[in-house]
Amino acid sequence: MQDGILRGNPAVQRRAMAKAITLLESSRADHREQADGLLTALLPHTGKAFRLGISGVPGVGKSTFIEALGLHLIGKGLRVAVLAIDPSSTVSGGSILGDKTRMEQLSMRMEAYIRPSPSSGTLGGVAEKTREAMLVCEAAGYDVVIVETVGVGQSEIAVHGMTDMFCVLQLPNAGDDLQAIKKGVMELADLVVINKADIDPNAATRAQAQITSSLRLLGMHGNPDHASAGALWQPRVIQISALLGQGVDAFWEAVSSFRDMQTTNGRLALRREKQSLAWMWERIDFGLKQAFRQHPQVKAMLPVLQDDVAAGRIAASTAARNLLLAQMQ
Ligand code: GDP
């Protein structure tokens, strides 16, 4: 499988990638062992792609934009992988992003690889599978890996935590902008893209000015990815029309200058380092919690203590301490 990923012709490579990602997504313990072996073998071949996160509310135009961007990049001789984290799949097994008819033109291109969101599990689990799928795409030589998510909740933080650059798509509508700023999402954004500028150019220009000044204010508090000495990236706001393909080249120029700056000032390497360590700790936390819940003594005590805490018979912290002590025995 690993040979197919690293050296196969395009058709062989695609099959090997799909097989590898299915293996990574499996929850069987023996599969997990194989998957870990595969990741270790692929790891030296990863890291060369640019990892681009794209978020936005349903309907903002993410798939239209990613398709236009993907085709633009293929035109430049690049290969593009598109992965997704769909928060709805983790809650209901449903899908906001997973529509099969999305990105029809891009999905027909040999230079593109599109994979829908892992379809179940906790958000942490889905994020982990997506990170691993990203490594498979990188080992297969894709130049740009786009990770798409919906502009709600924790999934944006997850995508921000695994990409080199995080872009937020916005509608040219001031109410929405304030919403996003309130939610703290704008603080994560390296680039804000106002889409559908063709519908109302004046509104788009107003939104651009408003978001630009909001980002300046946020910048004064400092985004840890942007704040430190040296040539630093100031988050930008651009207008596009994904439908008409307008502004896609300007978008890619902004991405390229971000990449150059972050490479030169060392922030790109630092961001990846932090992300890898945060990922490790997140999985340790998860693993410990799982082991904790499976401990026989804890299993026996948990229902009673939970009732006691709920009924106010014992303090939550005391119950937690008792359970932790039981697990250590
Ligand atoms: P997603 O849910 O964020 O993936 O949004 P889609 O890409 O599916 O787009 C939602 C709708 O908006 C579709 O009907 C698109 O054709 C339309 N759309 C996307 N981008 C633009 C744009 O730049 N201008 C206009 N007028 N419509 C757009």
Side-chain angles (χ1 to χ4, degrees):
M1 199 186 311
Q2 147 197 354
D3 277 352
I5 294 169
L6 294 173
R7 281 177 283 276
N9 67 40
V12 170
Q13 198 178 37
R14 267 163 185 278
R15 272 201 303 280
M17 287 170 73
K19 241 175 109 179
I21 295 175
T22 305
L23 178 70
L24 292 166
E25 288 180 0
S26 167
S27 50
R28 270 176 48 184
D30 57 327
H31 284 171
R32 192 59 243 176
E33 238 170 75
Q34 279 182 51
D36 282 339
L38 178 69
L39 281 179
T40 306
L42 294 181
L43 209 60
H45 307 279
T46 64
K48 290 186 208 82
F50 191 69
R51 304 165 179 174
L52 184 66
I54 292 185
S55 169
V57 295
V60 70
K62 291 180 297 303
S63 35
T64 311
F65 175 59
I66 293 170
E67 175 154 84
L69 176 65
L71 294 170
H72 179 78
L73 296 179
I74 288 173
K76 286 179 172 295
L78 300 173
R79 294 168 72 209
V80 186
V82 183
L83 307 173
I85 291 186
D86 187 340
S88 59
S89 69
T90 68
V91 180
S92 61
S95 163
I96 303 177
L97 288 173
D99 178 0
K100 286 273 176 340
T101 59
R102 301 165 80 242
M103 302 179 221
E104 248 171 40
Q105 288 182 55
L106 190 61
S107 61
M108 286 186 320
R109 299 295 298 256
M110 262 322 201
E111 304 91 330
Y113 182 81
I114 303 178
R115 176 101 187 169
S117 175
S119 58
S120 64
T122 59
L123 180 61
V126 167
E128 183 188 27
K129 313 265 175 246
T130 306
R131 278 174 185 278
E132 292 177 349
M134 180 156 79
L135 297 178
V136 172
C137 296
E138 292 188 358
Y142 284 79
D143 303 289
V144 181
V145 182
I146 297 173
V147 187
E148 177 192 7
T149 196
V150 174
V152 288
Q154 294 291 309
S155 63
E156 288 181 307
I157 293 172
V159 171
H160 177 264
M162 67 175 77
T163 49
D164 298 324
M165 182 174 195
F166 185 70
C167 303
V168 177
L169 254 65
Q170 283 280 302
L171 292 168
N173 164 325
D176 258 37
D177 308 333
L178 291 176
Q179 218 34 45
I181 289 162
K182 253 193 241 153
K183 281 194 321 190
V185 170
M186 285 298 180
E187 278 173 81
L188 301 178
D190 299 301
L191 182 65
V192 177
V193 181
I194 299 165
N195 189 32
K196 306 199 186 184
D198 57 292
I199 296 178
D200 185 347
N202 290 332
T205 302
R206 272 199 308 279
Q208 186 175 15
Q210 192 187 14
I211 299 174
T212 305
S213 63
S214 308
L215 286 177
R216 278 210 196 104
L217 280 174
L218 285 173
M220 284 159 52
H221 301 294
N223 173 335
D225 286 328
H226 303 139
S228 93
L232 286 183
W233 176 258
Q234 296 303 323
R236 290 189 198 168
V237 186
I238 62 167
Q239 295 183 35
I240 65 160
S241 165
L243 192 64
L244 306 180
Q246 285 166 358
V248 177
D249 44 356
F251 172 85
W252 191 246
E253 265 169 42
V255 172
S256 303
S257 46
F258 175 86
R259 185 182 192 172
D260 290 347
M261 194 180 277
Q262 295 284 96
T263 306
T264 313
N265 67 16
R267 309 294 299 186
L268 187 80
L270 198 66
R271 184 156 163 169
R272 286 188 175 185
E273 238 173 76
K274 280 197 202 158
Q275 288 173 341
S276 293
L277 288 173
W279 180 14
M280 182 186 83
W281 277 109
E282 193 207 295
R283 296 327 289 169
I284 290 175
D285 286 347
F286 180 78
L288 283 175
K289 216 167 177 177
Q290 239 186 0
F292 176 77
R293 283 179 185 279
Q294 278 156 12
H295 189 278
Q297 189 72 16
V298 171
K299 257 183 163 166
M301 290 166 66
L302 200 57
V304 181
L305 279 173
Q306 264 179 329
D307 280 353
D308 286 348
V309 171
R313 287 188 290 271
I314 182 170
S317 55
T318 310
R321 248 191 316 275
N322 289 349
L323 286 163
L324 287 167
L325 280 173
Q327 190 243 357
M328 282 184 238
Q329 278 156 18

